[in-house]
Amino acid sequence: MAQSNRDGFTSSFGVLVATLGSAVGLGNIWKFPFLTGTNGGAGFLLVYLAATMLVGLPVMMVETMLGRTARANAVTTFEVVAPPGQGCWKGIGWMGFSAALLIMAFYSEVAGWIYSYVFKSLSGEIATVDPKAAATAFAGLVSDPVSSLVWQWVVLCVTGGIITLGVSKGIEAVARKLMPLLFVLLLVLCGRSLTLPGAMRGLSFLFEPDFSKITSGVVLTAFGLAFFKLSLGMGTMLTYGSYFQGDQNIPATTTRVMLADLSVSLLAGVAIFPAVFAFGFEPAAGPSLVFMIIPAVFTSMPGGALFMAVFFVLTAVASIGAMLSLLEVPVAILSERYGMGRKRASALTIVCIAVLGVPASLSQSLAAKFTIFGLNSFDLFDFLSSNILLPLGGILICLFVGWVYGLPELEKRLSNEGTLENRRLIRVVFFLVRYVAPLSIAIVLLNGLKLI
């Protein structure tokens, strides 16, 4: 059951930056731009915004609330908050456990690319504005099996070392120092990108929607991204919520996190898409987009090599926040439910991810021909987590809160025992969670899977 001596965040600001660190990372700088580029630009952005506001934010509020109420890991949470005899709801926590491992298997590989690019930027190896040269440099990295594995293991060792320090001395301490720096550098990058010739074409692509490009697949991808970006359905917000202070204003905190997360995504889009069109890159380049555009932008700047290295350092560091939140899900479950020490639980989790991540790391080289349903291991892990486990976990959380937990208990918890005057907001959240969110996610999920 819930433990009274658990570590936790030490202040409201610590809660904010740690939760923001979970949401902001490679999802903003890597995944958001390439998915926006491959799904038509502004139309995809509109669907993503709607998914975030109407579904993502309400689910984030209730998921965090459940964690704070139980003061336990993602599995034990549902043993605490569910009515007697309904222990089946803890399956949501186990789904989060699985999703966290799958995401880390490919996410740590992307972080490895970032780490590698720190050194490539310092050496001048990627200092080019030529799309072909940039594509060749990236292809050389991902097609090298030894390099791919080594950089992924470096990432896992770094994050594993931090997670062993705990919540306040590890997760919170790192997030406090790094998130402000990332915002500042993104603003510098945006300023440079907007001064490039042809920048307005990039802004038009990002902000002028072509509604004919919005398909069921685009909608499914946008909902999957909204859940991925806000760390929903993977046990992260359940776990982080359990470390919240008792008087934390959850609706206000989660709204600030959502708005800051959206801001970073939009800043990344403004930084990247003007440069895409200015240098003649292809917006639908896929996962390699950021790794080609960022070097081009900085190479065209005075002192660009230094700025480029700093950018990739901070991006590598930003990725740590999201990975820490993912790691914390299985680490908390293993340490609390099975009595493992935190170091042992962290080591076991890292080893499992390293093994699971091998096929993802080699998906562009030795394991390139190994596919399931036409997807290589990297894309398969991404699809299973972002498009199935996360939305399904979100649906089940909505059903639990909307039809089992109930409005009276939700009002009690989100109003901090009546000390916050937010009853009207809570009723809106309850309506969205009970009806709008599960129905929307279910329709999109089934349609995207071609089941309806």
Side-chain angles (χ1 to χ4, degrees):
M1 303 300 284
Q3 299 179 10
S4 59
N5 60 343
R6 299 169 82 242
D7 193 5
F9 301 127
T10 60
S11 67
S12 294
F13 180 70
V15 168
L16 179 62
V17 294
T19 308
L20 183 58
S22 171
V24 172
L26 294 183
N28 302 76
I29 300 169
W30 166 68
K31 195 166 190 177
F32 172 80
F34 98 68
L35 287 181
T36 302
T38 55
N39 287 279
F44 174 83
L45 176 59
L46 281 179
V47 179
Y48 170 68
L49 290 174
T52 299
M53 298 290 187
L54 298 178
V55 178
L57 180 58
V59 174
M60 188 180 189
M61 287 185 189
V62 299
E63 191 171 338
T64 305
M65 176 274 300
L66 291 173
R68 188 182 66 174
T69 300
R71 299 287 183 194
N73 60 78
V75 174
T76 305
T77 287
F78 290 95
E79 294 178 336
V80 175
V81 300
Q86 296 193 31
C88 60
W89 291 104
K90 68 182 179 183
I92 299 174
W94 286 117
M95 287 175 57
F97 179 95
S98 302
L101 294 179
L102 282 175
I103 293 171
M104 276 297 295
F106 73 85
Y107 194 90
S108 57
E109 173 63 12
V110 180
W113 301 341
I114 295 288
Y115 279 45
S116 174
Y117 264 54
V118 172
F119 294 92
K120 288 180 181 292
S121 61
L122 291 172
S123 68
E125 182 180 345
I126 55 174
T128 179
V129 296
D130 180 5
K132 291 184 179 179
T136 299
F138 181 75
L141 170 64
V142 300
S143 62
D144 182 348
V146 175
S147 180
S148 296
L149 285 173
V150 168
W151 282 114
Q152 184 183 48
W153 293 340
V154 169
V155 168
L156 291 175
C157 287
V158 170
T159 51
I162 296 173
I163 205 75
T164 59
L165 297 175
V167 178
S168 57
K169 294 181 180 179
I171 297 172
E172 181 182 343
V174 170
R176 278 177 175 272
K177 295 177 176 65
L178 301 175
M179 294 313 301
L181 290 175
L182 181 64
F183 272 91
V184 171
L185 198 59
L186 266 178
L187 289 173
V188 172
L189 185 59
C190 286
R192 173 53 185 160
S193 188
L194 290 173
T195 63
L196 294 170
M200 292 308 298
R201 291 179 59 203
L203 293 181
S204 297
F205 178 81
L206 185 61
F207 294 116
E208 294 181 7
D210 180 353
F211 294 101
S212 66
K213 295 183 178 180
I214 301 177
T215 65
S216 59
V218 168
V219 175
L220 173 65
T221 302
F223 271 75
L225 179 63
F227 270 67
F228 183 93
K229 289 292 300 89
L230 294 177
S231 303
L232 305 177
M234 59 183 77
T236 296
M237 288 299 104
L238 288 168
T239 307
Y240 269 29
S242 73
Y243 303 133
F244 273 36
Q245 296 179 314
D247 61 351
Q248 189 76 29
N249 187 331
I250 289 178
T253 299
T254 52
T255 300
R256 291 190 190 104
V257 169
M258 181 273 294
L259 292 175
D261 176 68
L262 278 177
S263 298
V264 174
S265 292
L266 291 176
L267 284 174
V270 170
I272 288 170
F273 287 109
V276 167
F277 290 91
F279 294 118
F281 288 88
E282 174 56 52
S288 64
L289 181 64
V290 170
F291 296 92
M292 296 189 295
I293 293 300
I294 296 302
V297 174
F298 281 118
T299 299
S300 65
M301 292 173 56
L306 177 60
F307 278 108
M308 191 194 311
V310 173
F311 175 83
F312 280 116
V313 167
L314 288 181
T315 305
V317 173
S319 71
I320 291 175
M323 288 189 288
L324 289 176
S325 67
L326 287 164
L327 284 173
E328 185 64 17
V329 176
V331 168
I333 291 172
L334 292 175
S335 61
E336 293 178 13
R337 292 185 67 86
Y338 299 101
M340 293 186 186
R342 188 171 182 89
K343 291 183 178 180
R344 183 183 175 192
S346 299
L348 179 59
T349 300
I350 291 296
V351 170
C352 289
I353 293 171
V355 172
L356 187 62
V358 168
S361 294
L362 302 181
S363 61
Q364 302 295 322
S365 55
L366 298 180
K369 294 183 179 180
F370 176 74
T371 62
I372 298 177
F373 302 119
L375 300 174
N376 62 31
S377 300
F378 185 102
D379 294 331
L380 179 65
F381 292 167
D382 189 6
F383 179 81
L384 289 176
S385 55
S386 299
N387 290 4
I388 296 181
L389 287 176
L390 270 56
L392 186 57
I395 291 173
L396 292 175
I397 288 172
C398 290
L399 294 177
F400 175 78
V401 173
W403 298 95
V404 178
Y405 199 69
L407 179 59
E409 195 66 22
L410 185 67
E411 286 183 335
K412 176 182 176 182
R413 300 299 179 181
L414 285 183
S415 68
N416 292 353
E417 307 288 341
T419 59
L420 301 175
E421 295 294 334
N422 58 359
R423 177 172 293 184
R424 183 175 298 178
L425 170 64
I426 294 172
R427 290 182 178 273
V428 171
V429 170
F430 183 73
F431 175 80
L432 292 173
V433 168
R434 193 178 199 193
Y435 300 108
V436 177
L439 183 60
S440 300
I441 302 170
I443 291 174
V444 171
L445 177 62
L446 294 175
N447 183 261
L449 296 175
K450 303 186 185 306
L451 296 178
I452 59 173

